[in-house]
């Protein structure tokens, strides 16, 4: 399978320097791309790779035009990373194999579930009573959609996802745990992508809500009654405890934890492996485990912590000198 550069630019825009009839047969990173492949440069720190790359065509911003004039083919665009993202979708659409059955024969669909006419339900999926799957949504293999849970339009749900399992609710009584039935559901908006083996629990009384455009990586746990705002993205292994509210356009790095009943404002960015122990009311970048702070303050404190042992030794030496001076003074 190959595409001509002319066809790519006609579809995606950009300014082509080079032959429009040149064909590329694949996409690859700068370091490994071959003469029949196309690659991209989005950050200046990787420009050394550009000089050594064998890629037949590279996608760069106009700022790098002078550095690529000797190359066979170049596509100039203001945002090379965005252009490459769109190129991957164009490529996938052009090379996708013929579609199989819209609903795989091994899928189990309750008669009271509602599946849009153009939704795709993959092998071994389960869609329970009262659940809804919206137009253009694709459930990959082994996805479970629990009772009364709703998925909007154009969503992509990867293998092993469980939507609408019971939230973790128990009441202690005489040394034992009594189950609290989870009576809510899960509502997922449009254009949401959910990574493999992620679990989104149903609400205890009200619904767990994932708004439009949210992107969730693999192995994420979303607890009951959580609300996630529009276009927020979370990396792998994030855990969000019950009843937390996360705003719109937030990012949460891999392995980070948001404790229950906390609120994060819009445009809050949490670094990987951080533990959010308090609500955050101001946009910004936050990092840390001891305690959470603005990223700039955390970095300064972390630099100081590295010097604590040395500072302790210096203080002890100064105290000893002071004591000696006192003892030797007339």
């Amino acid at each position: 399978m190959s595409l001509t550069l002319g066809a790519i630019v006609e579809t995606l825009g950009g300014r082509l320097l080079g032959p429009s009839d040149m064909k590329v047969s694949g996409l690859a990173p700068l370091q490994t791309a071959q003469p029949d492949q196309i690659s991209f440069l989005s950050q200046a720190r990787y420009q050394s790779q550009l000089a050594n790359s064998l890629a037949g065509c590279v996608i760069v911003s106009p700022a790098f035009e002078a550095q690529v004039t000797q190359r066979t083919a170049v596509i100039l665009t203001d945002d090379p990373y965005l252009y490459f993202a769109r190129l991957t979708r164009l490529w996938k659409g052009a090379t996708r194999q013929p579609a199989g059955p819209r609903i795989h024969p091994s899928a189990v669909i309750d008669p009271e579930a509602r599946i849009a006419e153009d939704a795709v339900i993959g092998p071994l999926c389960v869609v329970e009573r009262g659940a809804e799957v919206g137009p253009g949504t694709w459930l990959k293999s082994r996805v479970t959609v629990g009772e009364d849970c709703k998925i909007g339009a154009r969503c992509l749900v990867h293998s092993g996802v469980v939507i609408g399992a019971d939230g973790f609710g128990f009441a202690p009584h005489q040394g034992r745990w009594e189950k609290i039935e989870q009576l809510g559901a899960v509502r997922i908006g449009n254009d949401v992508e959910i990574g493999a083996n992620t679990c989104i629990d149903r609400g205890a009384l009200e619904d767990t809500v994932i708004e439009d455009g949210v992107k969730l990586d693999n192995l994420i746990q979303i607890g009951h009654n959580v609300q996630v705002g529009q276009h927020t993205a979370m990396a792998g292994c994030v855990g969000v405890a019950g009843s937390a509210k996360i705003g719109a356009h937030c990012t949460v790095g891999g392995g980070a934890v948001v404790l229950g009943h906390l609120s994060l404002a819009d445009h809050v960015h949490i670094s990987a492996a951080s533990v959010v122990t308090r609500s955050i009311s101001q946009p910004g970048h936050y990092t840390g485990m001891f305690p959470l702070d603005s990223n700039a303050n955390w970095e300064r404190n972390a630099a100081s912590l590295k010097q604590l042992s040395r500072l302790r030794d210096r203080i002890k030496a100064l105290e000893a000198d002071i004591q000696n001076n006192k003892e030797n003074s007339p």
Side-chain angles (χ1 to χ4, degrees):
M1 173 64 197
S2 63
L3 291 175
T4 66
L5 297 181
I8 292 173
V9 171
E10 183 179 354
T11 304
L12 302 180
R15 180 158 63 95
L16 174 62
L17 306 179
S20 61
D21 60 350
M22 177 178 171
K23 293 183 178 181
V24 289
S25 61
L27 288 62
L30 283 170
Q31 313 96 295
T32 59
Q34 298 302 306
D36 63 341
Q37 295 178 311
I38 186 170
S39 190
F40 74 104
L41 174 70
S42 62
Q43 298 183 42
R45 60 181 173 174
Y46 298 124
Q47 56 187 309
S48 61
Q49 296 177 8
L50 175 64
N52 298 320
S53 178
L54 299 177
C57 179
V58 291
I59 305 163
V60 300
S61 71
F64 290 96
E65 182 173 358
Q67 300 181 34
V68 294
T69 54
Q70 301 303 313
R71 303 193 71 92
T72 303
V74 176
I75 296 175
L76 298 176
T77 180
D78 291 335
D79 190 338
Y81 192 58
L82 177 61
Y83 196 99
F84 188 78
R86 291 172 175 169
L87 177 57
T88 63
R89 299 205 301 273
L90 174 65
W91 196 272
K92 180 116 182 227
T95 59
R96 181 172 292 164
Q97 297 297 316
R102 187 178 67 84
I103 297 179
H104 195 275
S106 65
V108 178
I109 313 291
D110 190 275
E112 295 184 33
R114 293 177 288 280
I115 310 297
E117 291 185 0
D118 60 346
V120 177
I121 311 297
L124 302 172
C125 287
V126 176
V127 183
E128 296 183 352
R129 178 171 55 87
E132 297 182 13
V133 179
T137 286
W138 186 359
L139 308 186
K140 294 294 190 75
S141 62
R142 298 182 184 273
V143 171
T144 297
V145 184
E147 285 188 4
D148 299 320
C149 295
K150 297 176 174 59
I151 304 176
R154 302 175 302 280
C155 295
L156 178 56
V157 184
H158 289 278
S159 300
V161 167
V162 177
I163 297 169
D166 277 359
F168 193 65
F170 299 90
H173 176 64
Q174 298 179 352
R176 302 178 67 179
W177 297 101
E178 300 233 4
K179 183 174 178 60
I180 300 170
E181 289 296 342
Q182 306 294 288
L183 305 179
V186 176
R187 287 186 286 118
I188 295 174
N190 302 324
D191 303 300
V192 171
E193 183 162 345
I194 303 172
N197 294 319
T198 283
C199 296
I200 304 174
D201 289 345
R202 65 176 56 248
L205 296 175
E206 298 180 337
D207 294 344
T208 301
V209 178
I210 309 296
E211 296 187 359
D212 293 351
V214 168
K215 310 299 181 189
L216 303 179
D217 197 359
N218 301 337
L219 295 167
I220 288 175
Q221 165 64 29
I222 303 293
H224 58 185
N225 298 101
V226 166
Q227 297 180 24
V228 180
Q230 293 183 4
H231 305 293
T232 282
M234 300 183 190
C237 298
V238 164
V240 183
S243 299
K245 295 183 179 180
I246 298 177
H249 302 280
C250 295
T251 59
V252 184
V257 173
V258 181
L259 299 187
H261 299 274
L262 301 182
S263 296
L264 275 59
D266 297 347
H267 298 282
V268 165
H269 306 288
I270 304 298
S271 294
S274 295
V275 179
V276 181
T277 58
R278 62 175 173 85
S279 293
I280 300 174
S281 59
Q282 297 296 321
H285 185 185
Y286 295 83
T287 301
M289 301 173 65
F290 62 92
L292 191 75
D293 203 347
S294 71
N295 190 66
N297 285 342
W298 184 87
E299 287 181 343
R300 284 193 291 268
N301 291 334
S304 298
L305 283 172
K306 290 181 180 179
Q307 306 299 320
L308 281 181
S309 178
R310 188 180 305 168
L311 288 171
R312 180 193 61 190
D313 293 339
R314 290 176 61 187
I315 290 171
K316 284 183 176 180
L318 287 171
E319 289 175 340
D321 287 343
I322 293 170
Q323 186 64 33
N324 289 336
N325 289 336
K326 285 182 178 179
E327 293 173 354
N328 297 326
S329 61

